[in-house]
Amino acid sequence: MSKDNLILDKLTSSEYKYGFETNIENDSAPKGLNEDIVRLISSKKDEPEWMLEWRLKAFKKWQSLTEPKWPNVKYPEIDYQNIIYYSAPKQQVSLDSLDDVDPELRRTFEKLGISLDEQKRLTGVAVDAIIDSVSVATTFKDKLAELGIIFCSFNEAVHNHPDLVRKYMGSVVPMNDNYFATLNSAVFSDGSFCYIPKGVRCPMELSTYFRINAANTGQFERTLIIAEEGSYVSYLEGCTAPSRDENQLHAAIVEIIAAKNAEIKYSTVQNWYPGNKEGVGGVYNFVTKRGLCEGNGSKISWTQVETGSAITWKYPSCILKGDNSIGEFYSVAVTNNMQQADTGSKMIHIGKNTKSRIVSKGVSAGSSQNSYRGLVQVLPRAVNARNFSQCDSLLMGDKCGAHTFPYIETRNSTAHIEHEATTSKIGEDQIFYCNQRGIDTEDAVALIVNGYCKEVLNKLPMEFAVEAQKLLALTLEGSVG
Amino acid sequence: MSITERELRDYFTGRFESFNQGLNGNQSLEIKELRQKAIGAFAKQGFPLTKNEEYKYTPLTKALLKSLKLDAPVNSETIPTCKQHLIPELEGHMLVYLNGKLAYRSEDLPEGLEIEQLDRLDQTQISELKNHLATLSNYQSDAFAALNTAFFQSGSLIKIAANITIDKPIIIYHFSDGQSGTIYTQTRHLIMVGKNSRATLVEVNKNLNPEHQTFYNVASEVFLEEDTQLHYYKTQTECSGSIIVDNTNINQKDRSHLYCTTVTTSGTIIRNNLNVTINGEYCESYINGLYLVNGKDHIDNHTTVDHRIANSYSNELYKGIIDDAATGVFNGKIFVQPDAQKTNAFQSNKNLLLSDKASMNTKPQLEIWADDVKCSHGATTGQIDGEQVFYLRSRGLDEQQAKGLLLYAFATELLDRISLPVLKDYLKESISDRLYSCES
């Protein structure tokens, strides 16, 4: 036991690797939020009138809302007037090639392990890099354009494809959906936009990399993915932030829409700065992610590995509207030290023969609190709906907590709903078994945790799976239980 | 004409002063203070609306507003032939309440068993109960518990001495007959089982006049001392037309065993709050529930098992069959506090939906702050397996028989855990007709 704790301690005490700060000149708006700031953001982006109207409407709505208090997380009140809502690296307006990118910026990405050049040459992953909520570089644009795929920053999409943006923006996550989504709708600065035309199978992984750099800024980005009939796309998202003593707010929106027989796979490795061991600093990650399986036979799959953020509050959801559509949610959420996570998924079954699957693995260590909160809802029309949910929690150390709040609402008698959850710690017998075979306790824990999470990690695209595994080992380094 | 929540709340708070004074002389100072505190808590909370997370799926207040007629006289004239409504052949020490008033009680109790009327206790008796009465009640957080604490007029104190086994069950009947209109009653029980004693308690709820809505708000507090064993059965089988709120709080000390089973088969809205606090080591709690609802009935079981001390075990199984346009709600909370290491806690909720208008809302909830524990919960919602029906049909049963048999098997898993044969058979019989005639 004491040895276990030792390793646990070691594991839980490892430092945040991506905490550096890059010195690039920023173009920032003044602190605070009012109508002028919203107008300023809009004008900085040179946005058309309808976009500004949308923002102002959202801002008005936001003023009438109050911050939700129901999540199982505790944090000091956020002062929304003490946040910079717009910050962008000073850059020329558009970049023709990666060579135009500020070398300092490129070094940042190299430090993060995403060399834009190398990505381009070797791995064949198209990257849209977003720093302080402004898209700085998008690779592989031309090659994708040949297939008719649009992959660009949100701002570009607003200018170049206004019809698509107007049609789909807010169709899955309405402007007045919740407090943070409404805030995002008012002040979002940039994000990624992706459109896959009918029948196209996207030949490479599309990837967005988010980084908060400037101090006191909030990051508000928006991602919109549309997959037309019969298309396929796999989308990756990664995030990091510098170590700072203040809390930073990240309130993003991800909307995805799958038409008939389309498939979208959305993977996230979230590694925002989690704060230090005493819980000072860190990112508040309040994200609204929702997918709409609009057409028959469509499929949306969410995979997430959550290791960072001081507070995580997110529920990637699927609205299964089309008949025979499928929603999946695979999650590993690791909390350590003073981190708090309230995460899970919503599956709304509307169409006939819809299926959903939720696999959630929580690991809590240190003094962290890890909650699963999920909703499975079967509406009266959803004949033969099928759901399987599994949420397991692993506890390391006696100061952490694991909580599950699953809501299951069934309104159709042909539905099959199964939910199971377990909570336990790593068995002494399992560790003993490994020790006996010459594996020391720390490696044994890593092995067991990895095995515990395998079901989810397996769902990640290869490049990400490696990173996620490393991240997992790192987050839990020294925390043998 | 329906009234608003505010009016209903004001009605109760407004009535409190005269009620409390009317009882003057008949009650001790402690009770008076307690009532005062409770009405304060109630006035602050008001009746829970569906915005309240705990009452999200149960529009209890709405139903009360619709059906409660505030000026209807409380009927107490008719002493009906309660006898014919007793569970046949179930012998024991009986307490029969009609419309919340004690109508009958068994005499000659065995040694070690003491049953008093809670509202007739004298000052010294109340002082002795200081550490028990209303100490488990959640009246600060639940409006109905508060209402009961403020207004309870009748109820019993059941005290079992140490080192005694009470052979025959103690049976409490709650009858209501709404002959002269809507009735609301507030009854309260305090049950204390002394060290190393054993007892069986049966609570039976019946509405004798289903055409009339009644509102029954009952609160019980149960104390299990060290090494005790309590079998506790609650049946709500003929409760059409009833709105029932049952708040039961149980406190377990070292090595005590609790076997609790709740069976519900009808009721306009029934809300059972069963809260078990495990305050000792090596305790065992088996909490079971069966609910079969049809028509427009609504059954809501909220359970909490709070593990506060290490090395205990709890196992919870709730099963339900929902037919017609009925609604089932289950919310099971398991808390494992930081000190409750080596806890094993399990919970399972299984539901069958027989009709397209039926709905089931389940929320199994685990909250765990200790690491060396084994906890799990499971919840399923589904329907009768077509292959099983086919198997039985290939053996000569017609479809209805086959389905009936499967439903009966599903339900009796729980009834088989009842250790009182008479009660078990009675319940089995009362559900079998219904299950074999289910259409789906």
Side-chain angles (χ1 to χ4, degrees):
Chain A
M1 191 65 202
S2 61
K3 194 180 170 197
D4 291 356
N5 284 341
L6 260 179
I7 307 184
L8 256 168
D9 284 351
K10 224 172 100 194
L11 212 148
T12 50
S13 58
S14 59
E15 292 294 324
Y16 185 66
K17 203 171 97 180
Y18 304 101
F20 59 87
E21 184 185 344
T22 315
N23 269 327
I24 26 179
E25 254 189 290
N26 278 310
D27 177 14
S28 302
K31 270 185 189 174
L33 180 56
N34 51 47
E35 209 181 296
D36 293 340
I37 293 284
V38 176
R39 285 180 191 279
L40 177 76
I41 294 170
S42 188
S43 70
K44 287 253 185 219
K45 301 259 143 200
D46 201 13
E47 281 174 352
E49 192 61 31
W50 57 267
M51 197 65 244
L52 177 64
E53 270 168 31
W54 157 281
R55 285 176 185 275
L56 290 174
K57 214 171 137 194
F59 179 66
K60 224 170 182 175
K61 177 77 198 167
W62 180 75
Q63 286 176 311
S64 71
L65 296 175
T66 49
E67 207 176 316
K69 290 281 174 249
W70 51 264
N72 192 22
V73 293
K74 289 189 192 80
Y75 54 90
E77 203 136 317
I78 300 171
D79 181 0
Y80 291 91
Q81 298 306 333
N82 196 24
I83 295 173
I84 296 170
Y85 286 87
Y86 179 79
S87 166
K90 262 194 185 142
Q91 276 284 335
Q92 48 271 67
V93 184
S94 69
L95 301 168
D96 293 329
S97 78
L98 280 169
D99 302 331
D100 295 347
V101 176
D102 186 336
E104 183 75 18
L105 204 62
R106 268 163 61 190
R107 267 197 295 282
T108 304
F109 281 97
E110 266 154 45
K111 271 196 227 171
L112 293 168
I114 340 158
S115 150
L116 298 176
D117 301 303
E118 233 162 87
Q119 292 275 5
K120 193 174 178 184
R121 253 185 262 116
L122 302 173
T123 56
V125 177
V127 181
D128 184 19
I130 294 180
I131 195 156
D132 287 340
S133 53
V134 172
S135 175
V136 290
T138 309
T139 58
F140 278 110
K141 224 182 216 171
D142 303 337
K143 204 174 161 202
L144 292 169
E146 278 168 32
L147 291 164
I149 297 171
I150 304 166
F151 180 45
C152 60
S153 72
F154 204 88
N155 191 34
E156 273 178 72
V158 168
H159 286 106
N160 302 338
H161 311 283
D163 43 333
L164 285 174
V165 175
R166 286 181 88 162
K167 183 172 171 196
Y168 290 107
M169 185 173 69
S171 66
V172 187
V173 181
M175 178 203 289
N176 54 2
D177 190 74
N178 66 62
Y179 189 76
F180 297 108
T182 309
L183 176 62
N184 175 296
S185 299
V187 301
F188 74 91
S189 30
D190 210 340
S192 299
F193 176 83
C194 171
Y195 176 84
I196 317 287
K198 190 173 167 181
V200 172
R201 194 181 164 87
C202 186
M204 61 184 90
E205 312 273 352
L206 302 183
S207 168
T208 309
Y209 216 94
F210 297 108
R211 174 146 180 99
I212 299 178
N213 191 53
N216 284 325
T217 51
Q219 173 142 340
F220 307 93
E221 81 277 348
R222 246 190 127 92
T223 305
L224 179 60
I225 302 172
I226 303 143
E228 288 288 9
E229 189 178 332
S231 62
Y232 168 85
V233 62
S234 168
Y235 197 92
L236 321 175
E237 177 200 288
C239 358
T240 57
S243 308
R244 289 184 197 286
D245 285 348
E246 322 83 58
N247 296 107
Q248 284 181 297
L249 178 65
H250 171 243
I253 291 183
V254 177
E255 288 179 281
I256 60 185
I257 297 135
K260 191 176 169 192
N261 293 328
E263 183 177 346
I264 301 175
K265 200 171 157 163
Y266 195 102
S267 314
T268 310
V269 172
Q270 184 263 102
N271 188 23
W272 296 116
Y273 177 56
N276 69 5
K277 261 168 276 169
E278 282 75 44
V280 177
V283 172
Y284 292 163
N285 190 30
F286 301 151
V287 179
T288 309
K289 291 185 169 182
R290 198 172 299 153
L292 173 65
C293 286
E294 195 168 29
N296 295 349
S298 53
K299 179 174 175 183
I300 291 177
S301 174
W302 298 99
T303 308
Q304 60 171 28
V305 176
E306 302 277 326
T307 58
S309 296
I311 297 172
T312 304
W313 181 95
K314 79 179 214 188
Y315 314 95
S317 317
C318 296
I319 301 169
L320 303 169
K321 192 173 160 200
D323 293 348
N324 304 314
S325 56
I326 298 172
E328 286 177 347
F329 174 75
Y330 297 94
S331 163
V332 172
V334 185
T335 53
N336 201 343
N337 300 322
M338 303 299 283
Q339 279 177 272
Q340 303 173 57
D342 192 321
T343 181
S345 181
K346 279 191 202 173
M347 294 290 173
I348 320 272
H349 292 259
I350 302 173
K352 296 189 183 82
N353 303 318
T354 44
K355 281 186 206 157
S356 63
R357 186 181 177 85
I358 297 175
V359 177
S360 164
K361 305 273 184 183
V363 180
S364 350
S367 311
S368 65
Q369 299 294 332
N370 200 334
S371 307
Y372 167 83
R373 189 186 299 274
L375 168 70
V376 176
Q377 190 175 43
V378 179
L379 296 175
R381 264 190 55 227
V383 178
N384 288 326
R386 186 84 179 83
N387 163 269
F388 175 76
S389 313
Q390 185 182 353
C391 43
D392 296 334
S393 309
L394 198 62
L395 292 160
M396 298 179 153
D398 52 8
K399 287 188 206 72
C400 52
H403 317 277
T404 42
F405 306 90
Y407 293 73
I408 303 162
E409 303 177 8
T410 321
R411 307 255 175 288
N412 187 300
S413 67
T414 54
H416 259 288
I417 312 290
E418 288 170 90
H419 171 96
E420 55 185 51
T422 62
T423 304
S424 55
K425 67 171 205 162
I426 294 178
E428 276 158 37
D429 50 340
Q430 291 169 325
I431 300 216
F432 177 74
Y433 182 90
C434 292
N435 287 161
Q436 205 189 20
R437 273 147 187 81
I439 301 166
D440 71 25
T441 310
E442 185 161 343
D443 288 341
V445 167
L447 186 75
I448 292 163
V449 171
N450 245 312
Y452 167 79
C453 300
K454 194 114 229 165
E455 209 178 335
V456 173
L457 298 180
N458 274 345
K459 298 284 169 187
L460 285 173
M462 218 259 287
E463 300 85 357
F464 254 32
V466 177
E467 191 186 340
Q469 263 184 27
K470 266 196 273 173
L471 210 57
L472 214 63
L474 207 80
T475 317
L476 289 175
E477 196 169 85
S479 73
V480 170
Chain B
M1 213 182 67
S2 63
I3 45 176
T4 64
E5 188 274 328
R6 192 77 231 184
E7 281 169 344
L8 188 64
R9 190 198 307 192
D10 290 347
Y11 170 77
F12 279 103
T13 47
R15 215 176 61 125
F16 178 74
E17 264 322 303
S18 62
F19 166 81
N20 208 14
Q21 295 205 328
L23 291 173
N24 235 354
N26 244 340
Q27 63 177 348
S28 70
L29 209 63
E30 279 97 338
I31 298 244
K32 219 173 166 179
E33 266 172 30
L34 176 66
R35 289 187 196 273
Q36 221 33 286
K37 256 193 261 169
I39 195 74
F42 170 75
K44 222 166 84 190
Q45 296 170 60
F47 286 97
L49 303 173
T50 40
K51 261 199 156 172
N52 183 326
E53 176 73 16
E54 294 299 311
Y55 289 86
K56 184 176 173 186
Y57 298 113
T58 302
L60 198 51
T61 304
K62 212 170 132 198
L64 285 179
L65 295 179
K66 222 167 82 186
S67 67
L68 269 192
K69 291 192 207 78
L70 297 181
D71 48 358
V74 178
N75 167 47
S76 56
E77 297 308 311
T78 46
I79 297 288
T81 43
C82 286
K83 237 179 176 169
Q84 66 190 50
H85 295 287
L86 303 181
I87 295 177
E89 292 168 42
L90 185 64
E91 283 180 21
H93 313 294
M94 271 189 274
L95 280 165
V96 180
Y97 288 91
L98 177 66
N99 299 334
K101 295 222 163 102
L102 187 65
Y104 171 80
R105 58 185 279 197
S106 300
E107 301 300 327
D108 53 286
L109 300 174
E111 202 182 318
L113 174 62
E114 189 190 324
I115 300 181
E116 305 281 351
Q117 281 176 263
L118 205 55
D119 48 320
R120 301 271 168 85
L121 298 179
D122 58 35
Q123 183 70 47
T124 32
Q125 284 172 303
I126 290 288
S127 305
E128 280 170 24
L129 295 178
K130 206 170 59 196
N131 295 329
H132 294 92
L133 188 65
T135 54
L136 290 182
S137 173
N138 45 335
Y139 69 85
Q140 295 291 3
S141 60
D142 187 282
F144 292 100
L147 201 59
N148 182 295
T149 310
F151 282 105
F152 74 89
Q153 277 156 294
S154 61
S156 53
L157 164 67
I158 299 174
K159 220 167 152 181
I160 295 155
N163 305 315
I164 292 272
T165 299
I166 308 290
D167 294 321
K168 285 191 197 161
I170 301 154
I171 311 163
I172 307 174
Y173 288 97
H174 296 283
F175 291 136
S176 42
D177 69 337
Q179 277 178 19
S180 54
T182 305
I183 290 179
Y184 44 94
T185 37
Q186 325 256 9
T187 309
R188 188 175 189 95
H189 302 296
L190 177 60
I191 296 139
M192 295 156 71
V193 186
K195 276 181 194 172
N196 199 25
S197 287
R198 288 162 189 223
T200 303
L201 186 64
V202 183
E203 247 187 288
V204 181
N205 235 311
K206 279 189 188 184
N207 185 8
L208 309 182
N209 197 348
E211 289 89 68
H212 292 285
Q213 293 273 355
T214 62
F215 168 43
Y216 215 99
N217 184 14
V218 54
S220 309
E221 290 171 283
V222 181
F223 292 86
L224 300 182
E225 294 300 317
E226 285 87 351
D227 302 291
T228 48
Q229 227 184 65
L230 178 71
H231 290 265
Y232 193 176
Y233 304 109
K234 286 170 182 281
T235 75
Q236 297 154 337
T237 50
E238 288 163 43
C239 296
S240 297
S242 299
I243 297 173
I244 299 177
V245 179
D246 181 326
N247 268 302
T248 301
N249 293 285
I250 302 174
N251 186 56
Q252 284 188 261
K253 286 204 180 157
D254 289 351
R255 298 173 300 281
S256 58
H257 289 196
L258 169 73
Y259 305 83
C260 185
T261 303
T262 309
V263 179
T264 309
T265 60
S266 60
T268 305
I269 290 189
I270 294 192
R271 164 65 175 248
N272 293 316
N273 292 322
L274 178 62
N275 305 320
V276 180
T277 309
I278 297 181
N279 256 330
E281 278 194 288
Y282 309 107
C283 293
E284 290 181 25
S285 320
Y286 300 85
I287 299 162
N288 300 314
L290 174 67
Y291 42 97
L292 315 172
V293 278
N294 56 11
K296 283 187 178 168
D297 288 357
H298 184 113
I299 166 74
D300 179 352
N301 277 304
H302 267 58
T303 69
T304 306
V305 180
D306 188 0
H307 284 269
R308 296 197 180 161
I309 311 277
N311 295 317
S312 284
Y313 173 89
S314 70
N315 196 336
E316 195 173 344
L317 174 63
Y318 271 77
K319 284 179 128 181
I321 300 176
I322 324 284
D323 201 357
D324 300 338
T327 307
V329 180
F330 175 76
N331 176 210
K333 294 194 188 95
I334 296 179
F335 296 110
V336 180
Q337 308 290 353
D339 292 333
Q341 297 289 357
K342 309 255 180 228
T343 288
N344 283 351
F346 305 102
Q347 181 192 82
S348 177
N349 174 230
K350 299 177 181 176
N351 301 293
L352 288 178
L353 292 186
L354 300 185
S355 136
D356 274 345
K357 291 208 181 84
S359 62
M360 181 68 211
N361 301 303
T362 301
K363 187 184 167 201
Q365 187 176 331
L366 290 176
E367 296 213 36
I368 292 161
W369 289 275
D371 64 332
D372 191 5
V373 298
K374 278 197 192 118
C375 295
S376 71
H377 68 205
T380 60
T381 304
Q383 63 282 314
I384 303 171
D385 187 342
E387 284 186 25
Q388 291 174 359
V389 175
F390 176 78
Y391 177 89
L392 291 173
R393 293 202 65 188
S394 71
R395 268 134 191 93
L397 273 70
D398 71 25
E399 184 157 348
Q400 200 164 34
Q401 278 175 324
K403 285 186 174 168
L405 186 64
L406 290 169
L407 291 176
Y408 185 70
F410 178 84
T412 47
E413 181 193 349
L414 273 167
L415 299 183
D416 282 331
R417 299 183 178 189
I418 294 175
S419 61
L420 274 180
V422 181
L423 183 66
K424 183 176 9 182
D425 293 343
Y426 168 78
L427 288 172
K428 275 189 177 177
E429 205 171 305
S430 71
I431 64 163
S432 79
D433 286 348
R434 202 159 116 196
L435 293 180
Y436 278 103
S437 62
C438 276
E439 284 167 32
S440 73

